[in-house]
Amino acid sequence: TGSTRAERLLKAVQKNARRGDPQSVISAIDHYCRHSEWAMNVGDEKGSILDSVLSEVSPSCALELGTYCGYSTVRIARLLPPGATFVTVEFNPKYAKVARQVIEFAGLQDKVKLIEGASGDLIPKMKELFGNVTFDFVFLDHWKDRYVLDTKLLEDCGLLRKGSVLLADNVICPGTPEYLAYVRNNPRYKSTYYKSHLEYTKVEDGLEKSVFMG
Ligand SMILES: Cn1ncc2cc([C@H](O)c3cccc(CNC(=O)c4cc(-c5ccc(F)cc5)cc(O)c4O)c3)ccc21
Ligand SMILES: [Mg+2]
């Protein structure tokens, strides 16, 4: 049978990037998705905003919900301080398989813990899996109707601390209206909207940064 979009993206990385060079992996994916076949990576424009927020936070413990092909995983892992813990959650085994190979091609496999399963099942297990952790930084990029549920779950499981930063992709397109309402009307969050565009297009999209106040 034919390959999937994710597998074709992986082929483009193997063909055009340099092993052990995260920036070349990022550039190869962006070039492929802009010129050959669109894919739902955070992309270069929103990716630069992700980079700058990440550099401000410099997290020692980070979480990503929605690995997909590992594009944002590589973007995040390449900027983490040595010894940081970085967990990324993917429920689709085909995506997880591609992501593992993309992350490994970038040479970042020792910085990333990719766990397979659904966020709703795995979030309550984080303390058991990684010791009494709290996340300094969370990147939300999975199913848009799960953002609020999983944010509440992170709070209830004691996985956020005063100053934890949540960064949510796609708050305009496809859109996460309930999530925006939740973080913008909640006194426990200080939120900032970063206007941008849907990856590889001129369509408006943006990232919402929300600082948990404890
Ligand atoms: C529960 N759980 N736990 C872990 C976990 C992991 C996943 C998968 O990684 C997964 C699979 C399919 C879809 C998504 C969400 N992403 C999107 O839907 C998206 C869409 C578009 C867009 C925009 C315009 C279009 F026209 C079409 C698609 C642009 C974007 O940047 C996106 O992130 C994530 C799913 C549920 C999970
Ligand atoms: Mg996204």
Side-chain angles (χ1 to χ4, degrees):
T1 61
S3 65
T4 66
R5 186 185 300 248
E7 285 160 347
R8 291 190 292 273
L9 182 150
L10 172 62
K11 286 266 177 299
V13 168
Q14 293 165 334
K15 179 167 179 285
N16 303 310
R18 200 160 62 97
R19 263 194 184 287
D21 178 352
Q23 190 53 56
S24 76
V25 169
I26 292 164
S27 302
I29 292 172
D30 284 332
H31 188 274
Y32 179 73
C33 294
R34 186 177 292 282
H35 300 293
S36 302
E37 187 176 25
W38 188 91
M40 59 178 178
N41 316 118
V42 73
D44 47 349
E45 192 180 316
K46 289 186 287 179
S48 299
I49 300 166
L50 168 61
D51 289 358
S52 60
V53 171
L54 207 62
S55 303
E56 279 164 23
V57 179
S58 193
S60 42
C61 193
L63 172 67
E64 174 180 59
L65 302 177
T67 315
Y68 184 41
C69 293
Y71 174 89
S72 47
T73 320
V74 167
R75 284 202 85 110
I76 293 166
R78 87 193 202 286
L79 294 179
L80 292 178
T85 298
F86 177 29
V87 182
T88 184
V89 176
E90 179 52 57
F91 93 109
N92 180 319
K94 287 185 169 35
Y95 291 162
K97 188 170 188 298
V98 164
R100 288 188 200 285
Q101 295 173 84
V102 168
I103 294 158
E104 196 176 345
F105 197 93
L108 295 168
Q109 65 284 347
D110 297 342
K111 290 175 174 277
V112 180
K113 297 178 183 346
L114 194 164
I115 48 178
E116 289 190 43
S119 51
D121 301 332
L122 290 172
I123 287 170
K125 293 198 172 84
M126 289 293 169
K127 298 258 186 199
E128 176 191 327
L129 287 167
F130 302 106
N132 189 20
V133 294
T134 56
F135 292 109
D136 309 310
F137 179 82
V138 182
F139 183 56
L140 297 94
D141 196 20
H142 60 333
W143 284 334
K144 309 314 162 191
D145 61 0
R146 288 277 336 177
Y147 283 23
V148 177
L149 263 171
D150 288 340
T151 298
K152 288 178 175 173
L153 202 49
L154 287 166
E155 292 169 21
D156 298 344
C157 296
L159 288 165
L160 301 180
R161 49 106 178 141
K162 188 170 171 36
S164 290
V165 172
L166 307 184
L167 188 65
D169 190 24
N170 310 116
V171 296
I172 303 300
C173 177
T176 62
E178 310 83 16
Y179 177 75
L180 285 184
Y182 180 69
V183 290
R184 290 177 175 176
N185 304 333
N186 187 330
R188 297 179 79 185
Y189 290 95
K190 291 273 171 289
S191 283
T192 313
Y193 175 60
Y194 294 84
K195 184 174 164 138
S196 185
H197 295 94
L198 176 68
E199 49 268 27
Y200 319 116
T201 78
K202 294 185 166 52
V203 173
E204 182 178 340
D205 189 19
L207 300 171
E208 186 85 357
K209 180 180 111 173
S210 303
V211 183
F212 186 61
M213 308 312 284

